[in-house]
């Protein structure tokens, strides 16, 4: 290899190392772009319906979001926090209750088949878990999480501020990014970015509608079953619905923990309710509201969650799906259409 080639290779490796060290900042930047895209989508809808200028539509959109957040902070968040704390207290007690039920069921089954004076289940009777210590450990973990949340709040403020800046002048920021692309590919890459933006907009609208439907159905179903702490469980179901595969599974833990005290049948009924809601969401609600969105295979979605969680941490899990949406557009349009299979496509040169 010549000196120039070695220099280029070293520069490439140095760039990769730099990007790896800045991966959290890059993820925060991507999160800001996702929020900006959502705000731009809402602004476009307001502008289309009211036939007003973009500046006025943007102000109305920010005002609408601020009003909704104020209502949530005043009316919903205190109730949610109170009920969520009760949920956290119920989980270890529910575990003890379930363990007692298992002990009794195993003892009765053993007495039926082996006689009542077997004495071989003394280990089961002596099995005890210090749920007070488990609760204290959970509380200490929550305190540690709260202490570490300070840096997260600073990052969140940065993401919100950056998203507002991008939403004010989205075309200007997009053109700055396009200038980093070689001149012969800029026109084509501009089209690819537009497709990424449209896919992200469709994904956000679809997830919002889907989460609202899941939250409403959970509230109705839990109310009919007579399960306590309906507001916290319904909000958790809607929020965790943003995280596919993993979120819906986690959302069943808390309502089942509350329902198990009223009887195992009610806990089973809650499980069946959530399975029904998730199937309804997966096969009816999501296809209906996301018919224009990219179709992501469940296996690819789960793989993206695993990979991005390992690389970026919990925030990577939250942003795994929008990252997968953008990557799929880039792979389809750039790698496949323009590089691997350019036949039938227009020349990308300006």
């Amino acid at each position: 290899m010549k000196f120039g080639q070695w220099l280029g290779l070293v520069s490439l490796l140095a760039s990769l190392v730099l990007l790896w060290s800045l991966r959290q900042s890059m993820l925060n930047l991507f999160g800001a772009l996702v929020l900006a895209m959502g705000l731009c989508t809402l602004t476009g809808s307001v502008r289309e319906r009211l036939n007003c200028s973009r500046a006025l539509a943007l102000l109305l959109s920010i005002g609408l979001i601020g009003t909704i957040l104020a209502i949530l902070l005043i009316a919903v968040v205190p109730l949610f926090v109170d009920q969520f704390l009760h949920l956290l207290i119920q989980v270890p007690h529910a575990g003890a209750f379930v363990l007692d039920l298992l002990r009794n069921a195993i003892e009765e089954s053993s007495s039926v088949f082996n006689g009542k004076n077997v004495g071989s289940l003394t280990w089961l009777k002596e099995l005890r878990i210090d749920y007070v210590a488990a609760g204290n450990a959970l509380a200490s973990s929550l305190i540690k999480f709260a202490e570490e949340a300070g840096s997260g709040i600073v990052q969140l403020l940065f993401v919100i501020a950056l998203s507002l800046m991008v939403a004010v002048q989205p075309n200007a920021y997009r053109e700055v990014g396009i200038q980093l692309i070689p001149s012969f590919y800029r026109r084509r890459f501009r089209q690819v970015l537009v497709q990424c933006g449209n896919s992200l907009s469709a994904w956000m609208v679809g997830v919002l509608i889907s989460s609202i439907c899941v939250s409403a159905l959970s509230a109705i179903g839990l109310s009919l079953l007579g399960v306590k702490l309906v507001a916290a469980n319904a909000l958790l179901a809607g929020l965790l619905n943003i995280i596919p595969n993993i979120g819906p599974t986690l959302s069943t833990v808390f309502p089942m923990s509350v329902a198990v005290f009223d009887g195992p049948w009610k806990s089973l009924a809650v499980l069946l309710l959530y399975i029904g809601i998730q199937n309804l969401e997966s096969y009816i609600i999501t296809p209906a509201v996301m018919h224009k969105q990219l179709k992501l295979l469940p296996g690819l979605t789960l793989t993206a969650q695993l990979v991005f969680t390992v690389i970026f941490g919990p925030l990577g899990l939250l942003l795994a799906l929008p990252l997968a949406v953008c990557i799929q557009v880039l792979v389809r349009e750039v790698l496949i259409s323009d590089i691997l299979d350019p036949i039938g496509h227009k020349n990308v040169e300006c």
Side-chain angles (χ1 to χ4, degrees):
M1 294 178 63
K2 297 181 179 180
F3 175 76
Q5 294 174 328
W6 279 108
L7 183 61
L9 179 60
V10 172
S11 301
L12 177 61
L13 294 177
S15 301
L16 292 177
V17 171
L18 180 61
L19 289 176
W20 177 259
S21 62
L22 297 176
R23 61 187 185 279
Q24 290 296 333
S25 299
M26 299 296 292
L27 189 64
N28 290 334
L29 176 60
F30 179 77
L33 293 178
V34 171
L35 290 180
M37 184 57 62
L39 185 56
C40 289
T41 301
L42 180 59
T43 301
S45 300
V46 172
R47 185 180 182 185
E48 181 180 354
R49 285 169 172 75
L50 299 182
N51 194 20
C52 58
S53 63
R54 189 182 185 281
L56 179 59
L58 180 61
L59 289 176
L60 291 176
S61 301
I62 295 175
L64 177 62
I65 295 175
T67 302
I68 295 175
L69 290 177
I71 294 174
L72 290 175
L73 289 174
I74 295 174
V76 179
V77 171
L79 177 62
F80 172 77
V81 171
D82 181 61
Q83 293 194 3
F84 185 71
L85 291 176
H86 284 291
L87 284 174
L88 293 178
I89 295 173
Q90 295 283 7
V91 171
H93 294 291
F97 186 77
V98 171
L99 185 58
D100 289 336
L101 289 177
L102 290 176
R103 285 196 190 99
N104 294 331
I106 294 175
E107 286 178 353
E108 291 178 1
S109 300
S110 178
S111 64
V112 170
F113 292 102
N114 302 318
K116 295 184 178 180
N117 298 320
V118 175
S120 60
L121 298 177
T122 55
W123 64 271
L124 185 61
K125 297 178 181 179
E126 296 174 354
L127 179 60
R128 292 291 185 268
I129 299 177
D130 191 352
Y131 292 100
V132 176
N136 293 333
L138 178 61
S140 63
S141 299
L142 291 175
I143 294 174
K144 183 179 180 180
F145 173 78
E147 293 175 351
E148 295 177 352
S151 61
I153 294 175
V154 174
Q155 294 180 7
L156 179 61
L157 293 176
F158 166 77
V159 169
I160 294 175
L162 184 58
S163 62
L164 291 175
M165 295 177 186
V166 174
V168 173
Q169 294 179 308
N171 293 330
Y173 285 97
R174 184 183 64 188
E175 293 302 318
V176 169
I178 291 176
Q179 294 300 316
L180 301 175
I181 304 300
S183 59
F184 73 91
Y185 197 74
R186 288 173 184 169
R187 178 180 300 175
R188 169 62 176 160
F189 194 71
R190 187 179 289 110
Q191 298 173 355
V192 174
L193 287 182
V194 170
Q195 292 189 31
C196 286
N198 294 335
S199 298
L200 281 176
S201 298
W203 171 79
M204 284 183 285
V205 172
V207 166
L208 178 61
I209 297 175
S210 175
S211 297
I212 292 175
C213 292
V214 168
S215 183
L217 291 174
S218 300
I220 295 172
L222 293 176
S223 299
L224 293 176
L225 291 175
V227 179
K228 300 177 182 178
L229 309 177
V230 174
N233 285 313
L235 283 175
L236 276 178
L239 291 174
L240 292 176
N241 186 66
I242 299 176
I243 307 174
N245 301 320
I246 300 175
T249 303
L250 293 176
S251 66
T252 62
V253 174
F254 294 103
M256 289 182 64
S257 300
V258 176
V260 73
F261 292 104
D262 296 330
W265 68 268
K266 183 172 286 190
S267 182
L268 179 61
V270 170
L271 177 60
L272 294 177
L273 170 68
Y274 273 62
I275 291 175
I277 291 175
Q278 288 306 318
N279 279 277
L280 184 65
E281 185 269 338
S282 299
Y283 295 107
I284 297 178
I285 298 175
T286 297
V289 300
M290 292 190 180
H291 59 280
K292 294 183 179 180
Q293 188 201 0
L294 291 174
K295 302 300 181 182
L296 292 175
L297 297 175
L300 294 178
T301 302
L302 187 60
T303 302
Q305 289 176 315
L306 176 62
V307 172
F308 293 132
T309 302
V310 171
I311 296 176
F312 300 110
L315 187 58
L317 175 63
L318 184 62
L319 295 176
L321 201 55
L323 280 168
V325 168
C326 292
I327 290 175
Q328 181 165 324
V329 173
L330 292 174
V331 170
R332 185 191 66 195
E333 298 297 328
V334 178
L335 181 61
I336 297 178
S337 298
D338 296 341
I339 298 178
L340 299 179
D341 189 20
I343 300 176
H345 298 278
K346 295 181 179 180
N347 192 349
V348 297
E349 294 186 4
C350 295

